[in-house]
Structures are given as structure tokens and as C-alpha cells.
Amino acid sequence: MDRQTEIRLIKQALELKARGETQCHESTQTHATDRYISAAWFERENDMLFQRQPIALAAGAEIPNPGDYLSLEWVKGVPLLLVRGEDQQVRVFANACRHRNARLVATGESGCRKRFVCPYHAWTYDTRGNLAGAPDFERGFADLDKQKLGLVEFHCRELGGIVFFHPDRNAEVPEDLLAPEMASGFDYLKLATQRVYKRRSYVIKANWKILLEGGIEAYHFNVAHKNTLAPFFLGNISTWESWGDLQMRMILPKKPMLEAAELPEQAWDMRKMANIIFTLTPAVLLLAQPDNISLIRMVPLSPGETRIEEVLLVDPPQSGAEQWSEQELTIHETNHNLVHKILMEDWVLGETIQANMASGVVDEIHFGRFESALTWFHEQYAGLMALDDGVIARLA
């Protein structure tokens, strides 16, 4: 986000506030609840969304140094191991030993290693995925080529501080995948130089789309977040822009935005005046607040379950030291817990929504004109899913 864009977006938010309006779609939209509860829908999502296109997996800041690694699990239990090599390149491997398929590291584990040793028979791999050694290999496996027994690798690319991978091992991640406006926004946030403060991982009993939808509309702020977010924001006001597929940036103005009208433009600061949300769905949402960025990783497990992984990214210690000061740690811990509290306000509602949908008591949902980002998302979703009346009828 360059300075011109920052000023333009602040002006846009001020104009909306002056009119008592938000960014609207031309009409309401209605959808059947099948797309949230049907196993057939979920299977089509797995095929059309989760396997055929590049997926945002993590922030590069989660594995900043050579030897750093992070173990994740993707849709249908695909085990992934993200590793930054000695050449500073990030690679994504299957977290599976080529001997008997044992996992090299536990799911969710992170750390730093020069070698990955299988806990079953000690087959050992380097950070490039090569089989570096195996006990008594020459005697026991003389007819196998060690050079062909490296870890299974997925194509990946680090773009704008985000690691993308392609679930189809025969497909690549395009160099121009990330829209320039998104990359500029990540530069604005200094995403590449952030550090991980803490992570959280848990499962919510709701469809991933329900959880995502709660993150890209402000209509619910004054009700669902009346004691947390509502006192600091301008109610149901938001503005958003998108660039291809599911890449979107949303601005949620806070009350300090009103002060901009009385300040010279050079004093305008979006980070202080609004929360900024970037969607890299279906897996990653970024929430930028004044002094931290929450990476929210959503891994669909079934039509009614989603694994959530919260990662709080913060600036390096101001002193230049390796560790944050006590004051900085207090601020980071407070933010870590506050973000979780606010998310849980949405997630608990999401679980009740999922349960009600599954009960069949109501079979449709509606998006209002001022929930325009939800309409945009479902239009993009329909395109990626190649939905038409015939497909919908078969899935239902």
C-alpha cells in the first residue's frame, strides 16, 4: 500500500461516514445452507478449491532462518513440512519418511534443525529433502537408488512474505500469483520482517466459510462484539477492494479515523485509524492492528469442522536485542489473548450456526447489501467451484 493509496482509502472511509453509509452491493443474496453442511459440497471444494490452485500456507516469518521448520496438516490429512534451507529458500515437503511413511516431526511442531531423522528407523534428510543417510542402507537396500529417495516435494514460492504451495505436485506456483496491490500491502505491514510471538491451534465445529464470513463484515460488530470491538470502531462501516480469485483487502475504520478530517494529510496513519484485513482464502486471513498482525490459518477438516491456527506476528525488539523487553512482552501477551477472545466470540456463534444448519430447521441464508464482501466472496467461490444450476442440483 503506497502513500497515495493510504490517503485515498482514508478519504473513502471519511466519505462513507459522512453519508452514514458503507460499501454496498446492488442487491441482497440468498444461498442454500447445503454449501455449508453437504458432504458432496465439501468433496467438490476439496477437488476444485483445495487441490487445483496454489494455497497460502504460512508467513515466511514463521520460518525465518536456515534450518527453521514448521509442520502443518492440509486438507484430507496431507502432512506438510515447511523448511527454510541453507540457501534461504523455503521448501514444502510431505512430512513422510520414504522408507515406511512415518512422520519425521509431530504435526504442529516447529523449531530449527540441520537434519530430520525419522523416529522409526533413523532415515535422515537434509534441509533440501535429500536422503542424507540410513542405517545399514547399502546392505539392506542395495537395489534402491538413494538419490531417488528424497522427501516428496511440492512446488512452493514465497511471495510478499507469504509462502504459497501447490497441492498438485505436477503444478507450479506462478511468480505473478500475488496481486501487486496485495504485495504492496504486505510491504506496508513490513510482513517479511515480523517475528512470531506465539501460536495457538484448536478445532472449531463449523464450516470454514462461516468462520471466514465473520471476518469480512462489520454488521455484527455492535452486537457480537459489543464489549470488545464495538467501543473502538465506527459501527457498520467498511470498504474493500479485490484483485483476482480470493485476494481481498478490507478497511475497518476505528474512531480515530474521525480525527483525520482535522489533521493535515501527512499526519494520516492507516495503522492507527483502522484495522486492515487481507484474505488469502481458503487458508489464510491476515488481521493487521496498530502493533501486531494476526495470521489466521483455517484448514477445512470436514463440512462441519475447521482447524484454526492463530499466529501473532510482531515487530522485532525495539532495542535490537534478541529478546523483547518485559514491557514489550506484556503488550504482546495482552494482544495475543485479546485477539483470541474476539475470535472466539465469532467462533462460538459459528458453531451454533453450523448446528442450526445441520438441523435443517432453516435451509437458506441471506447477505444484506452492506455485507457486500460476502457477496463478492461467494461470487468468486461459485466461479472457482464451476457452479451452475445443474451442478447445484446434483450436489444438493
Side-chain angles (χ1 to χ4, degrees):
M1 184 191 305
D2 58 27
R3 183 61 177 165
Q4 252 185 343
T5 301
E6 184 176 18
I7 291 172
R8 175 177 63 81
L9 292 173
I10 292 173
K11 286 182 176 179
Q12 185 178 12
L14 289 172
E15 289 169 3
L16 288 171
K17 175 60 179 175
R19 300 201 312 267
E21 192 53 273
T22 193
Q23 187 170 337
C24 285
H25 193 265
E26 60 188 18
S27 64
T28 58
Q29 253 196 17
T30 298
H31 293 292
T33 56
D34 289 326
R35 65 178 63 194
Y36 300 90
I37 60 176
S38 163
W41 276 88
F42 187 75
E43 285 303 311
R44 189 174 181 87
E45 286 178 348
N46 180 59
D47 179 34
M48 304 294 286
L49 288 183
F50 309 144
Q51 303 298 335
R52 295 194 187 186
Q53 63 176 347
I55 299 294
L57 266 188
E62 294 185 76
I63 43 173
N65 303 308
D68 285 352
Y69 69 92
L70 174 63
S71 171
L72 302 173
E73 197 168 79
W74 184 231
V75 173
K76 286 201 167 181
V78 174
L80 301 176
L81 180 63
L82 286 68
V83 183
R84 191 175 295 275
E86 296 298 323
D87 57 359
Q88 291 293 341
Q89 295 298 307
V90 176
R91 295 176 176 86
V92 177
F93 304 109
N95 181 18
C97 179
R98 293 297 304 278
H99 175 211
R100 301 264 289 280
N101 266 250
R103 293 199 174 181
L104 302 176
V105 298
T107 300
E109 182 180 316
S110 62
C112 186
R113 299 185 183 184
K114 291 185 177 180
R115 292 286 188 271
F116 295 89
V117 181
C118 177
Y120 199 1
H121 299 92
W123 282 37
T124 302
Y125 303 86
D126 62 22
T127 58
R128 288 176 177 262
N130 301 312
L131 179 60
D136 213 6
F137 184 89
E138 286 70 22
R139 187 166 67 95
F141 303 92
D143 51 345
L144 296 182
D145 184 352
K146 188 183 291 187
Q147 303 300 314
K148 296 180 180 179
L149 291 173
L151 297 177
V152 170
E153 185 171 359
F154 298 85
H155 190 84
C156 75
R157 196 183 294 272
E158 190 172 4
L159 300 168
I162 295 290
V163 178
F164 293 82
F165 95 114
H166 207 302
D168 180 349
R169 296 201 302 275
N170 296 314
E172 296 193 354
V173 177
E175 190 173 356
D176 61 353
L177 174 69
L178 191 64
E181 293 86 351
M182 294 286 282
S184 175
F186 296 162
D187 287 343
Y188 172 78
L189 298 178
K190 301 178 181 177
L191 187 60
T193 61
Q194 296 292 287
R195 287 198 188 177
V196 173
Y197 172 65
K198 278 186 179 179
R199 294 185 177 88
R200 242 189 212 101
S201 180
Y202 49 92
V203 173
I204 297 297
K205 293 181 179 179
N207 186 274
W208 66 276
K209 296 184 293 299
I210 292 174
L211 305 182
L212 172 70
E213 288 163 4
I216 56 174
E217 52 94 352
Y219 183 40
H220 72 292
F221 275 21
N222 287 342
V223 182
H225 303 300
K226 62 182 178 181
N227 297 318
T228 49
L229 290 180
F232 305 100
F233 285 80
L234 297 181
N236 186 20
I237 294 180
S238 63
T239 178
W240 58 271
E241 294 176 325
S242 65
W243 306 276
D245 292 341
L246 297 173
Q247 298 182 42
M248 187 265 280
R249 178 194 61 221
M250 172 170 277
I251 305 300
L252 296 167
K254 300 164 79 172
K255 290 181 178 178
M257 181 76 76
L258 299 177
E259 301 170 7
E262 308 300 325
L263 295 172
E265 285 185 3
Q266 58 263 33
W268 291 5
D269 186 340
M270 182 69 81
R271 289 294 294 274
K272 294 179 180 178
M273 296 177 174
N275 277 3
I276 309 170
I277 291 176
F278 292 91
T279 66
L280 289 161
T281 48
V284 168
L285 182 149
L286 292 175
L287 165 62
Q289 302 192 85
D291 56 359
N292 64 81
I293 303 168
S294 288
L295 183 147
I296 303 163
R297 195 161 33 234
M298 294 177 283
V299 180
L301 302 177
S302 71
E305 283 192 325
T306 306
R307 180 182 299 105
I308 301 292
E309 295 175 354
E310 299 174 34
V311 184
L312 190 71
L313 302 171
V314 299
D315 289 331
Q318 291 184 3
S319 65
E322 185 62 28
Q323 296 297 325
W324 293 286
S325 68
E326 288 299 319
Q327 182 181 11
E328 288 172 322
L329 287 171
T330 298
I331 292 171
H332 299 335
E333 186 68 16
T334 299
N335 287 330
H336 181 57
N337 292 326
L338 180 59
V339 168
H340 181 65
K341 179 180 180 180
I342 293 168
L343 287 175
M344 287 306 299
E345 290 175 341
D346 280 337
W347 298 165
V348 169
L349 283 167
E351 290 192 332
T352 65
I353 292 168
Q354 185 74 33
N356 282 352
M357 287 181 173
S359 76
V361 66
V362 178
D363 61 5
E364 62 185 16
I365 61 167
H366 309 283
F367 298 144
R369 292 181 59 246
F370 43 63
E371 296 175 301
S372 56
L374 303 186
T375 297
W376 160 80
F377 167 72
H378 279 271
E379 288 173 347
Q380 296 296 310
Y381 172 85
L384 291 169
M385 289 274 285
L387 298 180
D388 58 33
D389 291 342
V391 169
I392 292 172
R394 289 196 302 275
L395 291 176

